[in-house]
Amino acid sequence: QKEVEQNSGPLSVPEGAIASLNCTYSDRVSQSFFWYRQYSGKSPELIMSIYSNGDKEDGRFTAQLNKASQYVSLLIRDSQPSDSATYLCAVSGQSGGGADGLTFGKGTHLIIQP
Amino acid sequence: GAVVSQHPSRVICKSGTSVKIECRSLDFQATTMFWYRQFPKQSLMLMATSNEGSKATYEQGVEKDKFLINHASLTLSTLTVTSAHPEDSSFYICSRGAAYGYTFGSGTRLTVV
């Protein structure tokens, strides 16, 4: 049984600071890792995907993956009030192919304080 | 605009009736699509994998006779909740597969009264 663990929060961060979100997963064969942002009542939108160990940066967002520790993180720099949302960590067993659905964590509720 | 269209966005139905939810891939053909369910303050749970031209595969604990999935074309998958009960009230969301970045539809809020 695949499991993805996240701290549910809420995580409160001052505007302009760095928000750090963490996730661990149980299945060592997992290959693909995703961070989604979900606003209340809406469907998730993809923020970042990462497949290899190390860091991947995209604008204000940096995803970090450590497969040995089974750990994924998301850093949000220069946090804005509009970043306030629930952030979902998701894991897939396969990279590419599309035959494997995602296993989601319960999400971390992030609040950016103006 | 949305590349995965889901309809309806909201539906209220009476207990015992059936509801059909459509999920369309607008820009690419999708041989595989996924259906998820999200209860309030819970995360998304994968219900089933919809395969074009073949039977859907269901996750453990999901009743295949209650949640009927049809993927008759490369751009359309449907989920029918049969004999709906109040405990089926949830947010149902479809997505495409990894080849298209697991793009999600906008979701359907089902309320069974």
Side-chain angles (χ1 to χ4, degrees), chain A residues 46-103:
Chain A
L46 182 66
I47 299 295
M48 294 280 288
S49 59
I50 187 166
Y51 307 101
S52 304
N53 280 329
D55 295 359
K56 179 181 178 183
E57 186 175 319
D58 183 1
R60 295 188 296 114
F61 300 94
T62 299
Q64 299 172 317
L65 173 61
N66 184 326
K67 290 187 178 181
S69 300
Q70 295 174 237
Y71 176 87
V72 195
S73 67
L74 179 71
L75 300 178
I76 307 174
R77 289 180 298 281
D78 188 24
S79 298
Q80 303 296 311
S82 59
D83 294 327
S84 298
T86 297
Y87 288 79
L88 302 171
C89 174
V91 172
S92 170
Q94 300 180 8
S95 58
D100 201 24
L102 295 176
T103 301

Side-chain angles (χ1 to χ4, degrees), chain B:
Chain B
V3 294
V4 178
S5 172
Q6 193 171 337
H7 179 81
S9 58
R10 272 180 197 277
V11 59
I12 301 173
C13 72
K14 291 185 177 181
S15 186
T17 62
S18 296
V19 173
K20 180 185 282 189
I21 303 169
E22 293 187 347
C23 180
R24 292 182 183 275
S25 177
L26 299 180
D27 54 353
F28 292 109
Q29 295 177 336
T31 55
T32 301
M33 299 183 85
F34 301 99
W35 287 95
Y36 296 83
R37 178 169 56 182
Q38 186 177 34
F39 291 108
K41 303 207 180 292
Q42 300 292 316
S43 192
L44 280 77
M45 296 294 294
L46 179 64
M47 297 177 66
T49 302
S50 174
N51 304 299
E52 189 271 334
S54 65
K55 291 182 180 180
T57 53
Y58 291 81
E59 296 299 302
Q60 191 174 11
V62 177
E63 299 174 58
K64 64 179 181 179
D65 295 330
K66 181 171 182 61
F67 299 99
L68 301 180
I69 290 173
N70 186 284
H71 196 147
S73 79
L74 286 169
T75 58
L76 175 64
S77 175
T78 61
L79 169 68
T80 301
V81 183
T82 63
S83 186
H85 290 283
E87 56 265 31
D88 298 322
S89 298
S90 188
F91 191 43
Y92 292 86
I93 318 174
C94 66
S95 85
R96 295 194 300 205
Y100 308 104
Y102 288 107
T103 308
F104 282 85
S106 56
T108 298
R109 176 76 58 192
L110 171 63
T111 303
V112 184
V113 297

